[in-house]
């Protein structure tokens, strides 16, 4: 301690006024892995030290005054709330301060400057801080050293968002591009998404989003204090991504009418959405649906330093009455009328955020991935948000824990009851299905573009005793009345049916299928067969009728009856522009046994025509490259009002566009666009194609940009 005190006396000898300040932005930001955001402003992570250097001026007289520093965040900084901290040299002289400072070993005091090593606590509130220094006990006001941004730190073991594996930190914090899985459980497709969390204005937009949230507007002091907690922050972000009850980022729309805005399928990345929100004066961007909400939230959490990944759940239940049961209704002519607020979406997309949950368990029982869902489906404590819900709690059926575990449990594991609505308005229970909800839960693999099935993280294998035990435990924990939670398993039906594809469904081509019926009875059956084809939104809601067919046929014992189903593109094409899939359903009534009704259905997701994009050039930072996009018209008619977009974080500073009024039958369109990559590392180019006949066809390619040194970066950095 004697040596330390001699250093501080020497500091005091020189110190009266602070001269030039160097926040060592490039060095600090590189050490804190924030240099991809900027090297011109100080952005650091909590629980990790950073260096500040400043010149010392003053009379040559020794003094015993000690150096006092102060950090403050928020409009009403308070030491009690953790938004203000005063800390001093020598280390430990502060009164209970959790921020620490010491003289950096490399300081050369006799040359008139000092470098301080400053460390924030691992549970400090995230956000923008002012940093100041007082150089004498008599000074009433400190000298400003500048501003700093403090982020969560998944590299710090003491931080609640600590993620142990470096490969996962690179994927879930640092990766600027990813994949979002869409389609249906039998037709899973991926679309590339530019998260762009390191674009230089995104961190400020993320902090603005926190500042305009209703909790902050109502009680800013406590809101800024609570930003130490990733549970709180993720819940606030979940509410602020949608605009249902605040000044959120995105307005949702699912009815196919997008006047005054963009179709949700238009977006290729988060950056354009967040920038529009800021430009609009924090008014919502029109429009989003679940994958847009989730992908934008992933950008915000990764930017703030919370590990995050996008997850898609196929055959995803929306349980409005919280009974863990989804009611489906069919009419006796095959159409799915809207009788229930419950629904099963072809897919639903949310995010998982990595954090500890000491609020739920003294140990680490519920730590790890948490479901956080910004899509406005149901209210949680009077706000449209969802989560964080521990994935481990969902797996175990612990639905009495916060936040919103029953809702997410139902999304992946609700039972499904099918009802027939008869002509007189009465309902007849047809079947109970305890298997189909929650299929192929998917996320992008670490370090590659492979799809990883994580269904086993959410539930035990369907058909096992353990899965039923967990379901029944969940039913008990949400206190569902006994009569509402019975699971009925029907006997083997007298008629079995299935719909089989004859050709792969491709948008622009006719679709052919067949309905196969078989009877296990010894008698001939006279059957009334309704085959109905509807265009469906991905939320499980019919958008329009495509075609219907009614037949009366005899089914012989132990023989197959095959009925062809032909769906021309000329009939379904126009009706699919704002729809995700085609639902083909067959409702069969036995005329000889009026009580016998059989139902089968198949979801089809027509594959989009081929669009390709590739990058041409040296793949070197600051070197000009070219994006080449190619599309060929597959129709026997011209495509009108063709429109191509290309985006890519770290590659293009803004979206590039090209238009063509008419692409003739069989004509091939080739577009080249120059660009100059400005950030090194793995990147993606993402292309989109639109015209009057086809909407939002996507393609992407990977580009690995090699860094260069000694080159002056563009001005936008």
């Amino acid at each position: 301690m004697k040596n330390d005190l001699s250093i501080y006396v020497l500091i005091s000898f020189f110190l009266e006024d602070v001269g030039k300040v160097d926040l060592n932005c490039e060095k600090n930001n590189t050490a804190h892995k924030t240099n991809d955001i900027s090297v011109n402003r100080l952005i650091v992570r909590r629980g990790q030290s950073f260096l500040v250097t400043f010149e010392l001026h003053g009379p040559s007289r020794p003094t015993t005054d000690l150096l006092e520093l102060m950090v403050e965040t928020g409009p009403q900084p308070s030491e009690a709330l953790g938004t203000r901290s005063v800390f001093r040299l020598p280390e430990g002289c502060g009164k209970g301060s959790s921020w620490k400072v010491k003289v950096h070993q490399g300081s050369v005091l006799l040359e008139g400057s000092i470098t301080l090593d400053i460390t924030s606590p691992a549970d400090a509130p995230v956000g923008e801080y002012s940093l100041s220094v007082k150089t004498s006990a008599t000074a009433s006001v400190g000298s400003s050293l500048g501003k700093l941004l403090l982020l969560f730190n998944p590299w710090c073991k003491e931080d609640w968002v600590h993620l142990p594996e470096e490969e996962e930190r690179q994927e879930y914090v640092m990766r600027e591009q990813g994949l979002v899985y869409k389609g249906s459980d039998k037709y899973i497709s991926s679309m590339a998404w530019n998260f762009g969390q390191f674009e230089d204005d995104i961190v400020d937009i993320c902090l603005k989003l926190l500042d305009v949230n209703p909790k902050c507007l109502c009680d800013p002091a406590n809101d800024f204090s609570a930003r130490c907690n990733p549970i709180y922050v993720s819940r606030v972000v979940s509410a602020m991504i949608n605009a249902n009850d605040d000044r959120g980022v995105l307005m949702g729309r699912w009815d196919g009418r997008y006047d005054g805005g963009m179709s949700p399928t238009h977006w290729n990345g988060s950056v354009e959405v967040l920038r529009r929100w800021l430009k609009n004066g924090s008014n919502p961007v029109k429009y989003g649906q679940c994958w847009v909400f989730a992908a934008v939230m992933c950008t915000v959490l990764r930017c703030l330093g919370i590990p995050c990944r996008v997850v898609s759940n196929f055959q995803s239940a929306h349980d409005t009455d919280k009974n863990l049961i989804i009611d489906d209704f069919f009419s006796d002519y095959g159409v799915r009328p809207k009788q229930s607020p419950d629904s099963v979406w072809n897919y639903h997309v949310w995010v998982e955020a990595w954090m500890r949950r000491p609020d739920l368990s003294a140990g680490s029982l519920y730590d790890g991935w948490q479901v956080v869902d910004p899509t406005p489906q149901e209210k949680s404590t009077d706000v449209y948000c969802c989560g964080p819900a521990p994935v481990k709690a969902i797996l175990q059926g612990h639905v009495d824990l916060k936040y919103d575990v029953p809702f997410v449990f139902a999304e992946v594991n609700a039972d499904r009851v099918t009802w027939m609505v008869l002509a007189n308005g009465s309902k007849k229970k047809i079947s109970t299905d305890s298997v189909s909800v929650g299929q192929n839960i998917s996320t992008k693999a670490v370090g590659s573009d492979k799809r990883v099935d994580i269904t086993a993280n959410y539930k035990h294998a369907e058909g096992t005793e353990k899965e039923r035990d967990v379901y029944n435990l969940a039913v008990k924990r949400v206190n569902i009345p006994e009569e509402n939670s019975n699971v009925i398993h029907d006997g083997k039906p007298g008629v079995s049916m299935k719909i089989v594809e004859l050709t792969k469904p491709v948008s622009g081509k006719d679709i052919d299928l067949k309905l196969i019926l078989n009877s296990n009875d010894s008698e001939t059956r006279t059957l009334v067969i309704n085959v109905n084809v509807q265009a469906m939104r991905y939320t499980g809601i019919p958008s329009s009728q495509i075609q219907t067919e009614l037949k009366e046929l005899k089914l012989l014992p132990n023989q197959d009856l095959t009925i062809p189903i032909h769906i021309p593109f000329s009939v379904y094409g126009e009706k699919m522009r704002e729809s995700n899939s085609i639902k083909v359903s067959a409702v069969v009534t036995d005329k000889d046994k009026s009580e016998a009704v059989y139902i089968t259905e198949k979801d089809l997701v027509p594959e989009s025509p081929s669009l390709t994009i590739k990058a041409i050039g040296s793949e070197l930072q600051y070197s000009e490259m070219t994006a080449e996009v190619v599309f060929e018209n597959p129709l026997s008619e011209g495509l009108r009002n063709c429109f191509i977009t290309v985006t890519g974080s770290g590659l293009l500073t803004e979206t590039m566009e090209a238009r063509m009024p008419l692409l003739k039958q069989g004509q091939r369109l080739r577009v080249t666009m120059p660009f100059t990559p400005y950030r090194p590392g793995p990147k993606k180019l993402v292309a989109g194609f639109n015209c009057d006949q086809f909407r939002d066809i996507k393609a992407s390619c990977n580009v690995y940009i090699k860094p260069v040194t000694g080159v002056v970066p563009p001005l936008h950095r």
Side-chain angles (χ1 to χ4, degrees), residues 277-510:
W277 175 75
L278 185 68
K279 187 178 179 181
N280 290 348
S282 305
N283 288 310
V285 176
K286 302 175 181 179
Y287 293 98
Q289 291 176 359
C290 71
W291 71 93
V292 188
F293 288 112
V296 172
M297 181 165 187
C298 186
T299 295
V300 174
L301 293 188
R302 287 186 183 183
C303 182
L304 294 175
I306 299 176
C308 186
R309 64 185 184 183
V310 177
V311 172
S312 298
N313 176 39
F314 294 91
Q315 294 293 100
S316 185
H318 181 175
D319 178 23
T320 58
D321 51 11
K322 301 179 182 178
N323 67 349
L324 309 187
I325 292 174
I326 302 299
D327 294 305
D328 284 337
F329 295 92
F330 282 84
S331 68
D332 53 7
Y333 51 92
V335 173
R336 294 168 62 89
K338 186 60 183 169
Q339 292 283 334
S340 168
D342 289 350
S343 58
V344 176
W345 297 21
N346 285 359
Y347 66 93
H348 180 52
V349 186
W350 55 68
V351 302
E352 289 178 354
W354 182 275
M355 65 190 71
R356 295 176 195 158
R357 291 301 301 271
D359 58 320
L360 301 181
S361 168
S364 58
L365 184 59
Y366 301 109
D367 293 355
W369 290 117
Q370 316 284 320
V371 172
V372 194
D373 189 352
T375 300
Q377 297 183 93
E378 301 294 325
K379 285 190 172 184
S380 173
T381 58
D382 298 321
V383 177
Y384 278 103
C385 66
C386 179
V391 173
K392 292 177 182 176
I394 297 162
L395 176 66
Q396 298 172 62
H398 296 175
V399 294
D400 50 346
L401 299 175
K402 59 186 182 182
Y403 294 91
D404 310 304
V405 178
F407 184 78
V408 183
F409 181 91
E411 287 183 301
V412 302
N413 211 16
D415 280 357
R416 196 170 181 179
V417 178
T418 301
W419 302 83
M420 175 68 68
V421 181
L422 303 177
N424 62 7
S426 62
K427 295 183 295 185
K428 177 184 176 184
K429 187 174 183 178
I430 301 299
S431 64
T432 298
D433 169 12
S434 62
V435 173
S436 66
V437 166
Q439 299 292 313
N440 301 322
I441 303 174
S442 302
T443 193
K444 177 188 172 300
V446 173
S448 79
D449 283 349
K450 293 180 180 178
R451 181 180 69 87
V452 177
D453 191 310
I454 58 171
T455 308
N457 293 356
Y458 283 83
K459 59 180 182 178
H460 299 278
E462 294 289 1
T464 63
E465 184 177 343
K466 181 65 174 177
E467 185 275 332
R468 280 294 92 186
D469 288 345
V470 168
Y471 179 85
N472 291 328
L473 172 65
V475 166
K476 289 179 182 177
R477 288 199 176 202
V478 294
N479 298 316
I480 299 172
E482 189 69 26
E483 63 271 20
N484 289 340
S485 58
N486 290 336
V487 179
I488 300 171
H489 298 279
D490 299 321
K492 186 176 180 181
V495 174
S496 61
M497 303 191 300
K498 62 180 177 179
I499 297 171
V500 178
E501 294 174 20
L502 297 179
T503 57
K504 183 179 181 179
V506 176
S507 187
K509 297 183 179 180
D510 295 353

Side-chain angles (χ1 to χ4, degrees), residues 56-247:
L56 307 177
H57 300 300
S60 298
R61 55 180 177 81
T63 172
T64 57
D65 291 346
L66 299 181
L67 194 68
E68 180 178 277
L69 293 99
M70 181 171 67
V71 289
E72 294 182 321
T73 184
Q76 302 165 33
S78 158
E79 289 183 273
L81 293 174
T83 51
R84 181 177 186 267
S85 182
V86 178
F87 48 108
R88 301 177 177 88
L89 282 174
E91 186 177 4
C93 285
K95 297 179 180 178
S97 171
S98 51
W99 286 68
K100 304 296 181 186
V101 61
K102 61 183 179 180
V103 177
H104 183 59
Q105 282 185 334
S107 284
V108 185
L109 302 178
L110 293 175
E111 293 183 4
S113 71
I114 180 173
T115 297
L116 300 180
D117 195 318
I118 301 171
T119 305
S120 68
D123 61 352
V126 299
E128 184 179 62
Y129 284 78
S130 62
L131 174 63
S132 60
V133 60
K134 282 174 65 175
T135 59
S136 75
T138 58
S140 59
V141 179
S143 300
S144 174
L145 297 180
K147 302 280 189 181
L148 65 94
L149 295 184
L150 188 67
L151 305 178
F152 291 103
N153 192 353
W155 285 265
C156 175
K157 290 183 179 180
E158 289 74 34
D159 197 313
W160 284 10
V161 303
H162 174 247
L163 188 60
E165 299 298 327
E166 176 61 19
E167 191 177 22
E168 293 189 346
R169 292 192 291 256
Q170 289 299 317
E171 181 69 43
Y172 300 134
V173 181
M174 303 299 290
R175 183 83 65 182
E176 285 193 273
Q177 295 83 19
L179 298 174
V180 178
Y181 294 98
K182 300 171 66 178
S184 71
D185 61 321
K186 299 294 191 297
Y187 300 90
I188 298 176
S189 62
S190 65
M191 66 171 289
W193 191 271
N194 275 306
F195 296 116
Q197 68 269 28
F198 297 138
E199 294 298 324
D200 52 10
D201 55 346
I202 295 300
V203 67
D204 295 308
I205 297 173
C206 293
L207 295 177
K208 174 73 172 179
L209 184 147
L210 297 180
D211 291 347
V212 299
N213 93 81
K215 294 178 185 292
C216 184
L217 297 177
C218 178
D219 185 356
N222 279 299
D223 175 82
F224 272 79
S225 175
R227 295 181 192 182
C228 65
N229 188 340
I231 302 167
Y232 177 85
V233 170
S234 65
R235 194 157 170 80
V236 166
V237 174
S238 171
M240 285 300 298
I241 296 298
N242 72 74
N244 279 44
D245 37 26
D246 48 42
R247 296 168 63 187

Side-chain angles (χ1 to χ4, degrees), residues 428 430 525 527 588-591 593-598:
K428 177 184 176 184
I430 301 299
R525 303 285 191 91
L527 305 177
V588 175
T589 306
D590 191 331
K591 289 190 72 174
K593 298 180 180 180
S594 59
E595 293 297 313
V597 179
Y598 310 99

